[in-house]
Amino acid sequence: MTATSAVMAGGGVVATQAARRRTFAIISHPDAGKTTLTEKLLLYGGAVAEAGAVHARRNRRAARSDWMDIERRRGISVTSTVLRFEHAGTVFNLLDTPGHRDFSEDTLRVLAAADCAVMLLDAAKGVEPQTLRLFEVARARGIPLITFVNKYDRPGLEPLAMLDHIERVLALTPVAATWPVGIPGDFRGVADRSTGTFHRFTRTAGGSTRAPEELLSAEQASESEGDAWTVAAEELELLDAAGGTLHAEDFTAGRSTPVFFGSAVSNFGVGLLLDALLRLAPPPQPRFSAGGVLRPVDAPFSALVFKVQANMDPRHRDRVAFLRLCSGRFERGMRAVNARTGRPFALAHAHEVFGDDRVVLDEAFPGDVVGVVNATDLRVGDTLYVDEAVVFPPIPTLAPEHFVRVRNLDATRHKQFHRGLTQLAEEGVVHLLRRDRDADPAPVLAGVGPLQFEVAVDRLRNEFGVTVALDATNWTLARRTDAPGAGVLRASRHADVLHGSDGTDLALFTSEFMLDRFVRAHPEVMLDRMLTR
Ligand code: G4P
């Protein structure tokens, strides 16, 4: 049977399988508890028997991979992985994102592959800078958000104040789905607004196993919790009077967010969050092509390359391309077409990736993520398809704010220097800019943060045997422009224009002031903050 006939015969199967997928990411500021919550979702989803696996895996991975040197040195997570688990008849694909601000572009790419995001807030800190940044990305993508207010076991903002804070800072309507009972620091459990019942939590040692949960009616809760319940019930009445209910269309469009309260470390509220992902998070939807045509999930196979990661396994020095399936059925060994090159691509070495453990994958459905090993021909933003041609819109990238010149210190490794830079740019590790399209002995590396350069320097040394020096520059911001704009910019002397390795022209300014001056003098020139890949 050809891939086409298999897809056609299995059309119903594909739609059914797609409907039981939930593909989501967690966005948060470092330290809000993303790793902890991830572990607890795996625990409640039945993927691990005891929490601690992700931390342990991360440590083990860090210990054996030179790529992770930076992670170990800095205590941050650079790479992102996909965690897949099956719970209550549903397949959850949790796309992990790096926490550090300098790797926001990576998160942006991951969000291009997610259908929903959990916005994780620290009860004491609310919306922090990185949450805001990632929220803006999620909003630009229009993906639904479920909010989890974590660390409620410790003193923090009162719940009403938290809702107010979310609304003010994000211009997003928060709708409480659960309500904490007990004061921060003496957290007893949550009231489920949809049923009016009280979920009473009991701590477990170290929080490594599921927290026993007792379900009580309002009357029982009132008897057992006394004042704590009365206060929560009064606050809920206030919310009801203010009309705070969740409307499906506002949630789907990313205008309002259901809010859950809990404590990931003690497992409180994690089960309810998982239920919400099951009930509220949308399954994969038909996806718009670059030409504005919707491709249904049961159309022939199509997938978007949202991430390319080299050197995940130092024993192999390999390069893994992560595909998000958008339609159809994936079967190992199938041949697809790469829309960018028009060339066939054999999906032979496909894996499911759980942390850094790989399992050979025989089939997958819309919403699933497949890691293709040694995919040297694939770049971030590529579309793969079978039969009916499609190109998905490019993935946006953030305008760089840091710029350095990179010089090769060993003239005998000229070729490796340029090959290395090209590969890093294709993977999206850094932007590569040149004054002239071809020859520029000291090209410019650009990124959202300096840690991206640190990764680039490390990888040039380890994978390409190239030692480089970085020189500071005066530029501080970049905007995408077009050919007529580039001409005006060059003549103006307010900016420099460099060519991106992806074919874009970038205008580089030394300050906001210079940018403003130019914009005032030349309002007709296209200057776009969002780049694409
Ligand atoms: P991140 O991935 O978002 O950076 O956060 P991570 O899960 O690593 O959590 C950051 C810190 O916050 C950890 O403490 C973690 O135990 C703690 N934490 C997570 N959830 C909760 C919660 O619900 N309540 C409280 N009180 N703390 C929470 P740490 O001291 O940095 O590390 P550890 O030694 O506890 O692992």
Side-chain angles (χ1 to χ4, degrees):
M1 202 191 297
T2 63
T4 331
S5 55
V7 167
M8 284 169 71
V13 175
V14 171
T16 311
Q17 288 291 347
R20 66 182 203 99
R21 293 315 194 257
R22 299 290 182 277
T23 302
F24 70 104
I26 301 176
I27 58 175
S28 64
H29 192 85
D31 246 24
K34 183 157 63 74
T35 313
T36 311
L37 181 64
T38 301
E39 272 175 4
K40 299 311 171 75
L41 285 170
L42 294 178
L43 176 70
Y44 276 74
V48 296
E50 252 187 55
V54 178
H55 268 125
R57 198 170 260 127
R58 196 159 272 178
N59 293 341
R60 201 180 62 204
R61 192 177 59 181
R64 72 165 201 229
S65 157
D66 56 14
W67 162 238
M68 301 300 156
D69 258 6
I70 295 177
E71 293 194 340
R72 205 173 42 220
R73 275 203 313 269
R74 300 271 185 167
I76 54 165
S77 151
V78 176
T79 50
S80 60
T81 52
V82 184
L83 301 168
R84 175 188 158 108
F85 57 97
E86 200 162 336
H87 167 68
T90 301
V91 177
F92 290 87
N93 293 305
L94 167 48
L95 311 182
D96 192 12
T97 53
H100 198 282
R101 172 195 181 281
D102 286 9
F103 301 108
S104 304
E105 282 203 277
D106 199 49
T107 304
L108 199 93
R109 296 191 272 266
V110 168
L111 288 177
D115 297 320
C116 176
V118 171
M119 180 168 68
L120 176 67
L121 304 179
D122 183 319
K125 297 180 177 155
V127 177
E128 296 176 81
Q130 182 66 354
T131 337
L132 181 60
R133 199 180 180 88
L134 299 176
F135 165 77
E136 281 167 356
V137 169
R139 168 166 278 177
R141 271 266 293 131
I143 60 174
L145 288 166
I146 296 175
T147 302
F148 187 78
V149 182
N150 191 29
K151 307 198 185 183
Y152 212 78
D153 57 302
R154 286 203 314 214
L157 282 177
E158 292 295 330
L160 281 172
M162 179 56 85
L163 296 190
D164 191 47
H165 167 76
I166 294 171
E167 181 143 35
R168 221 169 0 89
V169 178
L170 301 179
L172 171 74
T173 309
V175 178
T178 63
W179 201 251
V181 177
I183 51 168
D186 181 21
F187 188 29
R188 316 255 183 104
V190 295
D192 182 345
R193 277 188 82 199
S194 61
T195 57
T197 50
F198 174 51
H199 293 244
R200 185 160 64 189
F201 302 131
T202 310
R203 276 173 202 281
T204 59
S208 63
T209 53
R210 296 169 67 129
E213 232 173 90
E214 256 179 290
L215 259 188
L216 296 142
S217 67
E219 295 75 41
Q220 290 168 322
S222 167
E223 248 168 59
S224 79
E225 305 303 321
D227 283 351
W229 177 261
T230 313
V231 171
E234 281 170 6
E235 286 171 339
L236 280 174
E237 270 173 34
L238 271 176
L239 285 184
D240 289 343
T245 47
L246 188 70
H247 296 291
E249 30 337 333
D250 287 341
F251 166 64
T252 317
R255 287 189 295 268
S256 76
T257 178
V259 180
F260 293 81
F261 292 85
S263 161
V265 82
S266 28
N267 299 345
F268 294 179
V270 175
L272 285 163
L273 177 66
L274 192 59
D275 285 349
L277 283 162
L278 198 67
R279 280 183 298 110
L280 297 175
Q285 303 292 313
R287 190 173 271 249
F288 276 110
S289 71
V293 179
L294 273 179
R295 188 170 180 101
V297 289
D298 58 358
F301 169 86
S302 67
L304 173 71
V305 179
F306 67 97
K307 184 174 170 62
V308 175
Q309 179 85 66
N311 205 11
M312 283 187 76
D313 184 343
R315 287 168 308 186
H316 301 303
R317 292 247 175 263
D318 59 359
R319 182 166 166 170
V320 181
F322 290 90
L323 318 181
R324 141 87 201 217
L325 260 74
C326 301
S327 65
R329 183 208 296 256
F330 162 87
E331 285 168 67
R332 192 155 63 90
M334 76 192 292
R335 289 173 83 76
V337 177
N338 183 343
R340 179 174 51 82
T341 60
R343 285 207 291 269
F345 187 90
L347 291 160
H349 304 286
H351 292 75
E352 175 191 330
V353 183
F354 185 98
D356 67 341
D357 294 340
R358 293 178 193 169
V359 182
V360 172
L361 195 71
D362 289 318
E363 66 169 7
F365 294 96
D368 288 342
V369 169
V370 174
V372 182
V373 181
N374 284 334
T376 35
D377 290 343
L378 296 184
R379 292 190 197 162
V380 170
D382 278 356
T383 302
L384 294 178
Y385 66 83
V386 164
D387 291 339
E388 286 170 25
V390 62
V391 183
F392 293 117
I395 299 175
T397 69
L398 297 168
E401 295 163 20
H402 293 263
F403 307 84
V404 289
R405 274 198 189 284
V406 55
R407 267 186 300 122
N408 178 15
L409 294 179
D410 179 357
T412 62
R413 300 195 67 79
H414 175 77
K415 263 200 205 129
Q416 289 85 344
F417 173 65
H418 285 286
R419 193 152 45 82
L421 288 178
T422 305
Q423 178 168 331
L424 295 179
E426 277 176 18
E427 281 179 34
V429 173
V430 281
H431 294 269
L432 177 62
L433 312 178
R434 291 192 171 95
R435 189 156 306 269
D436 305 311
R437 272 186 207 283
D438 304 318
D440 189 341
V444 171
L445 302 185
V448 173
L451 275 179
Q452 284 178 267
F453 305 146
E454 199 174 317
V455 171
V457 170
D458 257 45
R459 290 194 47 195
L460 283 170
R461 188 176 47 242
N462 293 333
E463 293 167 42
F464 298 90
V466 174
T467 310
V468 296
L470 301 183
D471 301 327
T473 70
N474 291 332
W475 299 304
T476 61
L477 41 115
R479 295 289 182 268
R480 186 165 60 94
T481 189
D482 50 14
V488 181
L489 281 151
R490 281 204 187 89
S492 81
R493 292 163 194 254
H494 283 116
D496 290 280
V497 181
L498 269 68
H499 302 292
S501 56
D502 54 359
T504 49
D505 278 337
L506 281 192
L508 308 191
F509 297 87
T510 51
S511 64
E512 280 290 344
F513 175 75
M514 294 304 271
L515 170 64
D516 285 350
R517 242 169 81 171
F518 179 82
V519 170
R520 258 185 274 122
H522 301 280
E524 77 287 359
V525 167
M526 177 193 127
L527 289 173
D528 198 341
R529 175 187 281 276
M530 274 284 180
L531 317 179
T532 52
R533 192 175 285 282

